[in-house]
C-alpha cells in the first residue's frame, strides 16, 4: 500500500459534493474552449460515422481481410474506432468496472492512502490533475493510474486492496486486453502492406510493450458548459483502449465535422490511435484529438488503457517502407521518453496538447 500523502489540491469529488453552485475559476475553461462545450447529455447527434468494426470474423480468411480494410480505413480517416466481438470477456469487463467503481465509492480519506506524489515523480496511484499547461486550467476529474502489464513489471504494492478482488480482476483483464492489442497491431500492419508482426515489433514487441491503466472519475458538475473532464489532447501511446460506465462524454475531433461524441455501443471497446503509432507509420495512421465532457446529472467513469513502448529501449521513427518515393519522413527520431518530454514542454509553453511534436 502506498504511503499516505497530502494531496496537492482539493479532490474534485470533494468540491462536487460540497454543494457548490458555481465552479472555482481554475476549472473554468478559456473562452475559445467554452464556445462549443455543451452538456454531454444534451447532444443531439451522436456518432456522425465514427467507425464500428466487428472483429468476430477475424479467424476466417475472408473475414480477416474485411477487418484489415475496416481497421485501416478507421485508423486513416478517423484515428478512432469502436470494436465489437473483440475477444475480451464481458464478465471480466463487468468485474473490472465493478471493482473500479468500488474503489471510487470508498471515502476520500481511504483513497488518499493510495495518493501519488507527482512532485517527487511518483505518478502511479490516486490523484487529481495538476495544471501543466500555459493557461493553468484544471480538469474536472480525479483518477487512479498504474502499470498493469506485464505483471512482473507492475508494482502491486500500490494497487488498491479494496475492493478485495481489484488486483485479481485487473490482472485478468490486462492479460486479455494484451491479446487484443496484438490482434489490432496485426490488422493495422497488414493494412499497410507490412508483415503482420511489424508494427508491434517496432514498438517493443510482446515482451516490452506496456499497458498503463487510468481510471478517470468525473463527478457531477454544476456548470458543465464551463468545464472539461479532460482537455483536448492526443495520447502519447501507440494505441489506447477505452471502456466507460455508459455515460456519454468522450468527443473526438474530425475535420469537416468538428467535435463528435462517441456513441454508446453495447459491449464495445473504443480504440484510439496514439502518437507513437502515428510516428512510425509516418502519419498514415493519425493520432486522434479528443476530450472529455462532464454533466450535471451523472457521474462518469472511464477506464483508459495506454499501450506504450518502453521509454528508452525503442527509437520511434517513420518506417523506411512507409516513406514513399518523393516523400519525406514527417517526424524526427526520438525515444518514447524524449517524445513525452517534448510534448510536456509544448503543453507548458503553448497550452496545446493536440499533436505530436515533429
Amino acid at each position: 500500500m502506498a504511503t499516505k500523502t497530502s494531496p496537492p489540491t482539493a479532490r474534485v469529488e470533494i468540491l462536487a459534493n460540497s454543494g457548490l453552485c458555481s465552479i472555482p475559476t481554475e476549472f473554468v475553461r478559456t473562452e475559445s474552449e467554452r464556445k462549443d462545450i455543451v452538456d454531454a447529455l444534451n447532444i443531439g447527434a451522436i456518432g456522425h460515422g465514427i467507425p464500428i468494426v466487428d472483429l468476430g470474423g477475424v479467424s476466417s480468411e475472408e473475414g480477416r481481410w474485411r477487418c484489415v480494410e475496416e481497421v485501416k480505413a478507421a485508423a486513416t480517416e478517423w484515428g478512432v474506432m469502436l470494436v465489437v466481438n473483440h475477444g475480451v470477456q464481458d464478465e471480466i469487463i463487468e468485474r473490472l468496472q465493478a471493482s473500479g467503481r468500488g474503489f471510487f465509492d470508498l471515502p476520500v480519506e481511504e483513497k488518499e492512502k493510495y495518493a501519488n506524489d507527482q512532485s517527487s515523480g511518483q505518478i502511479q496511484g490516486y490523484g487529481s490533475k495538476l495544471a501543466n499547461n500555459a493557461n493553468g486550467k484544471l480538469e474536472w476529474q480525479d483518477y487512479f493510474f498504474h502499470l498493469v502489464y506485464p505483471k512482473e513489471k507492475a508494482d502491486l504494492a500500490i494497487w488498491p486492496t479494496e475492493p478485495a478482488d481489484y488486483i485479481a480482476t485487473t490482472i485478468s483483464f490486462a492479460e486479455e486486453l494484451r491479446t487484443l492489442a496484438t490482434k489490432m497491431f496485426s490488422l493495422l500492419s497488414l493494412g499497410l502492406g507490412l508483415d503482420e508482426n511489424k508494427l508491434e515489433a517496432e514498438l517493443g514487441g510482446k515482451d516490452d510493450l506496456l499497458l498503463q491503466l487510468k481510471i478517470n472519475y468525473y463527478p457531477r458538475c454544476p456548470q458543465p458548459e464551463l468545464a472539461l473532464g479532460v482537455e483536448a489532447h492526443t495520447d502519447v501511446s501507440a494505441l489506447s483502449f477505452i471502456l466507460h460506465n455508459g455515460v456519454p462524454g468522450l468527443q473526438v475531433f474530425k475535420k469537416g465535422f468538428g467535435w463528435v461524441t462517441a456513441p454508446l455501443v453495447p459491449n464495445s471497446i473504443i480504440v484510439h490511435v496514439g502518437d507513437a503509432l502515428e510516428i512510425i507509420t509516418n502519419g498514415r495512421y493519425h493520432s486522434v484529438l479528443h476530450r472529455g465532457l462532464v454533466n450535471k446529472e451523472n457521474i462518469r467513469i472511464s477506464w483508459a488503457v495506454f499501450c506504450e513502448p518502453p521509454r528508452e529501449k525503442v527509437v520511434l521513427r517513420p518506417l523506411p517502407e512507409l516513406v514513399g518515393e518523393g516523400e519525406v519522413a514527417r517526424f524526427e527520431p526520438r525515444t518514447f521518453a524524449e517524445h513525452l518530454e517534448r510534448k510536456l514542454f509544448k503543453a507548458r509553453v503553448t497550452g496545446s496538447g493536440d499533436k505530436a511534436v515533429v
Side-chain angles (χ1 to χ4, degrees):
M1 179 184 295
T3 302
K4 184 176 180 179
T5 60
S6 298
T9 186
R11 301 304 184 197
V12 178
E13 179 184 0
I14 294 175
L15 289 174
N17 293 337
S18 68
L20 79 173
C21 296
S22 59
I23 62 176
T25 56
E26 58 264 32
F27 290 94
V28 177
R29 308 308 300 188
T30 63
E31 183 177 355
S32 61
E33 291 175 294
R34 294 200 308 270
K35 67 181 182 180
D36 63 350
I37 294 175
V38 294
D39 191 324
L41 297 182
N42 291 332
I43 294 171
I46 294 181
H48 280 300
I50 294 178
I52 300 172
V53 179
D54 186 347
L55 299 180
V58 75
S59 57
S60 71
E61 186 69 16
E62 181 180 352
R64 180 178 177 82
W65 286 105
R66 174 190 58 78
C67 289
V68 166
E69 291 304 316
E70 292 182 4
V71 165
K72 175 185 178 181
T76 301
E77 297 168 16
W78 283 83
V80 62
M81 68 199 82
L82 291 88
V83 296
V84 297
N85 293 317
H86 39 68
V88 181
Q89 298 178 62
D90 293 343
E91 181 263 340
I92 288 182
I93 291 175
E94 291 168 3
R95 284 167 42 205
L96 177 84
Q97 293 178 319
S99 65
R101 286 193 302 268
F103 174 77
F104 277 99
D105 284 344
L106 294 173
V108 171
E109 56 268 24
E110 287 297 311
K111 294 193 284 281
E112 290 295 352
K113 296 176 181 178
Y114 302 92
N116 61 18
D117 183 5
Q118 297 183 52
S119 63
S120 67
Q122 174 54 39
I123 62 173
Q124 295 194 75
Y126 173 62
S128 302
K129 182 70 178 291
L130 298 177
N132 64 354
N133 50 37
N135 61 37
K137 297 301 181 181
L138 297 175
E139 298 172 332
W140 194 262
Q141 67 153 296
D142 299 323
Y143 64 84
F144 193 91
F145 176 76
H146 58 127
L147 174 70
V148 296
Y149 190 93
K151 179 183 174 182
E152 58 270 19
K153 295 182 181 179
D155 184 1
L156 298 183
I158 68 170
W159 290 30
T161 55
E162 293 183 65
D165 67 340
Y166 182 94
I167 293 176
T169 296
T170 303
I171 289 173
S172 296
F173 169 74
E175 290 172 347
E176 293 211 1
L177 194 73
R178 186 63 186 84
T179 299
L180 174 59
T182 291
K183 184 186 299 183
M184 294 303 300
F185 284 126
S186 174
L187 296 172
L188 289 161
S189 293
L190 292 172
L192 296 175
L194 303 170
D195 178 85
E196 65 177 321
N197 300 313
K198 182 65 174 179
L199 292 178
E200 184 173 55
E202 287 293 322
L203 292 162
K206 296 184 186 299
D207 293 333
D208 288 322
L209 269 168
L210 307 175
L211 296 183
Q212 310 262 19
L213 170 63
K214 184 168 181 265
I215 308 175
N216 299 299
Y217 181 86
Y218 308 101
R220 298 177 185 90
C221 180
Q223 294 178 296
E225 72 281 1
L226 300 181
L228 283 172
V230 180
E231 64 187 7
H233 68 288
T234 61
D235 292 339
V236 294
S237 59
L239 290 174
S240 301
F241 300 87
I242 315 294
L243 298 165
H244 54 78
N245 66 335
V247 177
L250 173 66
Q251 291 193 313
V252 301
F253 189 82
K254 168 82 166 151
K255 288 184 179 179
F257 291 89
W259 288 105
V260 179
T261 300
L264 304 178
V265 176
N267 304 314
S268 66
I269 295 178
I270 301 168
V271 182
H272 289 176
V273 173
D275 295 348
L277 187 59
E278 179 179 64
I279 291 168
I280 69 169
T281 63
N282 204 34
R284 303 287 183 91
Y285 297 144
H286 79 268
S287 185
V288 63
L289 183 65
H290 58 285
R291 68 183 186 181
L293 303 182
V294 292
N295 66 81
K296 291 182 180 180
E297 288 79 16
N298 295 298
I299 293 168
R300 181 170 177 261
I301 308 176
S302 68
W303 289 257
V305 182
F306 307 104
C307 185
E308 299 178 352
R311 292 202 168 205
E312 301 288 354
K313 194 172 182 178
V314 171
V315 175
L316 300 173
R317 57 164 61 91
L319 293 172
E321 50 266 66
L322 298 181
V323 181
E325 186 176 350
E327 297 181 8
V328 297
R330 295 176 53 192
F331 303 93
E332 297 175 356
R334 83 287 304 268
T335 65
F336 187 60
E338 289 170 339
H339 179 68
L340 285 170
E341 186 58 35
R342 293 186 194 192
K343 192 156 187 174
L344 181 60
F345 175 77
K346 181 182 179 184
R348 285 173 172 164
V349 171
T350 68
S352 172
D354 52 358
K355 296 300 288 184
V357 182
V358 299

